[in-house]
Amino acid sequence: PNMKSAEDLVSQVDVLTNDVDQLKSRIENEVNRDLHVAITEFADLKQQLEKSTQILSVLKQLQKFDNAVEKYSCALKGKNYIAAAQLLEEAQSSLTQLKSRKIGR
């Protein structure tokens, strides 16, 4: 009976070891699959963030251009030609910077 018990225990240990190995393999496969999905999603989000950052930068430059044009118009109406000329240069500079940008190309 003692030898039979030992053989039963060895058999149970073998079964449990096999079960643990299978479970470990399934967990590793799931983790690897989830990791791959997460990496792909992260790369997509990073690309979207970079594009959004570029767009935001262009919008800020457009706002700067618009402000300069509005101030230029006011200065011109007020016959402040020196200020108007400076504001026109500022607007032209903003426009040149906008033209040099390449968004999503």
Side-chain angles (χ1 to χ4, degrees):
N2 205 6
M3 189 62 154
K4 177 77 169 137
S5 302
E7 289 173 357
D8 287 345
L9 284 175
V10 168
S11 177
Q12 287 177 359
V13 167
D14 287 343
V15 168
L16 287 174
T17 301
N18 187 36
D19 288 349
V20 167
D21 288 343
Q22 288 178 1
L23 183 58
K24 180 182 172 187
S25 178
R26 285 186 8 213
I27 290 171
E28 285 176 353
N29 288 338
E30 248 183 82
V31 167
N32 285 334
R33 187 172 47 249
D34 290 348
L35 182 61
H36 177 72
V37 169
I39 289 171
T40 302
E41 288 177 1
F42 175 77
D44 290 344
L45 289 172
K46 183 179 178 189
Q47 187 176 15
Q48 289 175 14
L49 177 61
E50 288 169 355
K51 188 171 183 175
S52 295
T53 300
Q54 287 179 339
I55 290 170
L56 182 59
S57 178
V58 168
L59 289 173
K60 285 180 181 179
Q61 197 66 40
L62 280 170
Q63 183 181 27
K64 186 177 176 183
F65 172 76
D66 183 61
N67 287 339
V69 169
E70 283 185 32
K71 288 178 182 178
Y72 161 78
S73 179
C74 289
L76 203 57
K77 286 179 186 175
K79 297 184 182 186
N80 188 350
Y81 300 114
I82 293 174
Q86 290 171 338
L87 290 164
L88 183 58
E89 285 179 5
E90 185 180 320
Q92 287 174 332
S93 173
S94 293
L95 188 58
T96 301
Q97 289 177 10
L98 281 168
K99 286 181 179 180
S100 70
R101 290 187 176 271
K102 293 180 175 108
I103 299 280
R105 292 183 193 160

